[in-house]
Amino acid sequence: EVQLVESGGGLIQPGGSLRLSCIVSGFTVRSNYMAWVRQAPGKGLEWVSVIYSDSSDSKTYYADSVKGRFTISRDNSKNTLYLQLNSLRDEDTAVYYCARVSGGWYFDYWGQGTLVSVSS
Amino acid sequence: QSALTQPASVSGSPGQSITISCTGTGSDVGGYSYVSWYQHHPGKAPKVMIYEVSNRPSGVPDRFSGSKSGNTASLTISGLQAEDEADYYCTSYTTSRRLWVFGGGTKLTVL
């Protein structure tokens, strides 16, 4: 059974840092494209970042809104995806979901999400 | 402002059909066959209902169908059921810097 379980969210002050984790079971993260998608309160979904598979050189890409502040990575030995969030802003407040990217450029498996609240 | 435009809400009675539109540009919806649709119940993980414009993952009822014409994609739900009440999002792959663009979401109410 495929499971993605996010953790690491919480209340953080503007300018602070946080690391989100997504523990995956049922497939290997190194062989798949993995992404983070977020949803701000009362807003729609927004793609945040993607990391390609090992065979695709583990390339990483970011939405303009987070480029230079967020870093996506994975630990193959732990089958875990990460998102390092630095220089957090109020507008980064959202539920953050990890998801697997399927071959047709869609997200076929999702976690339940972890809430990040940025507030002073 | 979302990159793809969806109606904020639609509604229908049980058994009826509804269609949700998703309008983009030639750089996303119109340029690729990588449009997908997601059902999202608040507090739960989003679920893919349609991928590559019109394909249904296994386990998704055939009441759900997708299509595309030009820069507009559509999700049709026929034979509405109470459990279909949720938020629906379209997304398209794009080779712009954003890679994926989402619609703003449509709240479906089953009357």
Side-chain angles (χ1 to χ4, degrees):
Chain A
E1 181 190 8
V2 171
Q3 278 196 314
L4 292 78
V5 180
E6 302 96 334
S7 62
L11 177 63
I12 189 80
Q13 291 188 337
S17 297
L18 216 53
R19 189 178 80 158
L20 307 182
S21 301
C22 172
I23 299 175
V24 174
S25 57
F27 66 87
T28 56
V29 293
R30 69 184 305 168
S31 303
N32 287 274
Y33 290 18
M34 298 295 297
W36 289 94
V37 177
R38 68 183 180 182
Q39 183 177 33
K43 303 290 185 181
L45 298 171
E46 178 190 20
W47 168 73
V48 173
S49 181
V50 65
I51 184 167
Y52 286 7
S53 61
D54 276 0
S55 61
S56 294
D57 297 331
S58 303
K59 293 177 183 176
T60 59
Y61 296 94
Y62 301 90
D64 287 347
S65 56
V66 307
K67 195 175 295 183
R69 300 187 299 120
F70 291 8
T71 303
I72 191 171
S73 63
R74 63 171 178 255
D75 185 329
N76 294 338
S77 66
K78 296 181 179 179
N79 213 35
T80 299
L81 178 73
Y82 300 102
L83 187 67
Q84 177 69 40
L85 289 64
N86 296 333
S87 303
L88 281 162
R89 306 167 180 167
D90 290 349
E91 56 265 34
D92 295 319
T93 293
V95 175
Y96 286 74
Y97 298 95
C98 64
R100 188 178 79 166
V101 182
S102 187
W105 295 104
Y106 65 99
F107 308 104
D108 59 351
Y109 292 104
W110 297 68
Q112 296 274 25
T114 186
L115 175 63
V116 173
S117 294
V118 184
S119 175
S120 53
Chain B
Q1 187 175 359
S2 300
L4 304 180
T5 301
Q6 297 180 231
S9 64
V10 297
S11 62
S13 300
Q16 288 186 331
S17 295
I18 62 96
T19 296
I20 301 171
S21 61
C22 170
T23 302
T25 69
S27 297
D28 38 65
V29 174
Y32 305 93
S33 294
Y34 295 129
V35 176
S36 51
W37 290 88
Y38 301 86
Q39 179 188 68
H40 191 202
H41 290 104
K44 294 195 171 183
K47 175 185 177 183
V48 60
M49 306 304 284
I50 296 289
Y51 66 95
E52 293 176 334
V53 176
S54 59
N55 294 312
R56 267 188 320 276
S58 61
V60 172
D62 61 6
R63 303 184 294 104
F64 291 82
S65 62
S67 62
K68 189 183 82 165
S69 177
N71 296 337
T72 299
S74 298
L75 172 70
T76 298
I77 309 174
S78 58
L80 270 179
Q81 299 182 3
E83 60 261 34
D84 297 335
E85 186 163 291
D87 297 322
Y88 290 84
Y89 293 89
C90 63
T91 188
S92 174
Y93 175 78
T94 170
T95 53
S96 78
R97 292 177 298 177
R98 282 184 286 189
L99 285 187
W100 284 274
V101 289
F102 279 89
T106 299
K107 182 175 182 58
L108 168 62
T109 301
V110 180
L111 302 170

